[in-house]
Amino acid sequence: MPDPTAGPRARYREQVRAEVREHAWSQITEAGASALSLKAIAQRMGMTAPALYRYFASRDELLTELILSAYLDLAETVEAAARAAAESTAESTQESTAAGGDDPARQVRAFAGALRTWAVSAPQRYLLLYGTPVPGYAAPPEATDLARRIAAPVQSAFAARVANETQEGASRTSADPALDLMVRLWTRLHGVLGLELAGHFDTMPVDPAALYAHELDSVLDA
Amino acid sequence: MPDPTAGPRARYREQVRAEVREHAWSQITEAGASALSLKAIAQRMGMTAPALYRYFASRDELLTELILSAYLDLAETVEAAARAAAESTAESTQESTAAGGDDPARQVRAFAGALRTWAVSAPQRYLLLYGTPVPGYAAPPEATDLARRIAAPVQSAFAARVANETQEGASRTSADPALDLMVRLWTRLHGVLGLELAGHFDTMPVDPAALYAHELDSVLDA
DNA sequence: TGTACATCAGTGAACGCGCGTTCACTGATGTAC
DNA sequence: TGTACATCAGTGAACGCGCGTTCACTGATGTAC
């Protein structure tokens, strides 16, 4: 009883699917998400358009897969960064190790750094997730879960931090102070990234990287 | 020597142009900027598509006009708000009148309030200016001027404020402290607006209006 | 006040393009006996 | 080990759609004498 997901045909299928996704990304990079076209991809691959329907049920299915894979990639990227920061803290600082944990601020910094690198390296990919929604297209429910997962490292870092502090709660926006901090970080970082990637700082004497770093600090030092 | 810009034909021209713009906006509102189509507009107006070429040289020219008019509308909106705030301050507070000016913070608050109302009332219009750029379309140079004009009330309010304060300059990002404050306000407000209009808070226990107000305060109280 | 003329709005047909998607089919490839 | 069969990748033609834009043309409307 051979595994149909591991035979040579399945392998080939996965190769072609990957190649389609690759061409799809370069198309999105060059002309935005609304320019995604199965026919154009088929052409670049030296195939006919109907052939792609063996691999993707429709254009929307391909787009959904791209969006989910982008979310997943970002989630894994920021998780790895936060984890690395937590481990290096545990190694170098005896004090915090003795305190039984890691430095939340370091993890948040690692998260923010990874996020910016990820966004700047592929602006259209970032904008696909956090920019203007594609008209007439509704993101699948899994996207919400992944979006939550991306925020998780930050939120738990802030939760650890909040637990160590006396709470005043003067400027709370919601019931959960860790959520509050996470949202505040999220909006501030996105405020810089969104305008930067859209090119709005191009005609101004503004250094987006420095601004980003400042906004990060503004939340951590609050 | 009759004025050709005031005859009945010119008047009619302007009416039709306005109607085209109106339909264009409702099209953008419903399906985003990339869905803007001269043929579809002509159809809704009960005309043939070529007829529209009497009024607009091309689709891109129409789009440019829409973008510029949106910038202009926003500029006038925030200018009016800031002016009203300055005047009402001058009336009610003798102290600040004696000090020869108005309350910068009030003007910035008025600006931010007007901005949010403007953005929320027509999300796609806001996103047309500050969201993901339309692929393959470059904004005209005038857009930059108008963008600067929109920021002007805030920047001058901050300039007035900075002049009254002792400067430490610890967290400067650029050479001009008023510019710094303006950019910080801009990115923080856009961070909230951009994510809100894209629907990213819909599945979270977050109140965008409260968050927006908090971010506004965070810059004013710095 | 009435007529001739120039101006200009709008039509209809057409061009060339690209899109997503369906369908009947050919031919290669892996698999079961 | 070799042959028969089922599976499946890919083709080519086609459908219907919408787009921007050009062009020769009709007919109404304003204007100059």
Side-chain angles (χ1 to χ4, degrees), chain A residues 9 12-13 39 46-48 50-51 54-55:
Chain A
R9 264 182 173 148
Y12 178 73
R13 261 187 81 78
K39 271 200 167 160
M47 294 172 66
T48 8
R54 295 252 161 222
Y55 303 94

Side-chain angles (χ1 to χ4, degrees), chain B residues 39-194:
Chain B
K39 270 199 167 161
I41 292 172
Q43 205 170 317
R44 288 205 199 178
M45 288 178 68
M47 293 172 65
T48 3
L52 296 192
Y53 284 80
R54 294 252 161 221
Y55 302 94
F56 297 92
S58 67
R59 192 202 97 122
D60 269 21
E61 190 192 280
L62 172 58
L63 182 56
T64 296
E65 206 164 296
L66 294 174
I67 289 178
L68 291 179
S69 81
Y71 270 119
L72 185 61
D73 188 65
L74 177 55
E76 287 171 350
T77 300
V78 298
E79 280 164 7
R83 208 181 312 120
E87 282 165 11
S88 85
T89 308
E91 279 172 20
S92 61
T93 324
Q94 304 96 326
E95 174 208 4
S96 72
T97 311
D102 35 30
D103 183 357
R106 262 190 92 125
Q107 288 183 46
V108 172
R109 278 179 205 288
F111 168 94
L115 172 63
R116 183 156 197 277
T117 303
W118 190 88
V120 170
S121 76
Q124 288 289 347
R125 187 180 52 175
Y126 178 86
L127 292 172
L128 181 62
L129 303 187
Y130 298 109
T132 310
V134 179
Y137 174 83
E142 295 101 307
T144 306
D145 300 337
L146 285 167
R148 240 186 279 276
R149 182 173 151 191
I150 290 166
V154 171
Q155 208 168 340
S156 66
F158 279 136
R161 200 182 205 220
V162 164
N164 296 340
E165 283 175 9
T166 322
Q167 274 302 303
E168 305 214 1
S171 63
R172 284 194 196 172
T173 301
S174 81
D176 180 353
L179 176 69
D180 262 25
L181 284 168
M182 184 244 115
V183 168
R184 209 150 300 152
L185 179 75
W186 186 24
T187 57
R188 290 192 188 174
L189 297 185
H190 171 75
V192 177
L193 280 179

Side-chain angles (χ1 to χ4, degrees), chain A residues 134-147:
Chain A
V134 178
Y137 174 83
E142 296 102 305
T144 306
D145 300 337
L146 285 167

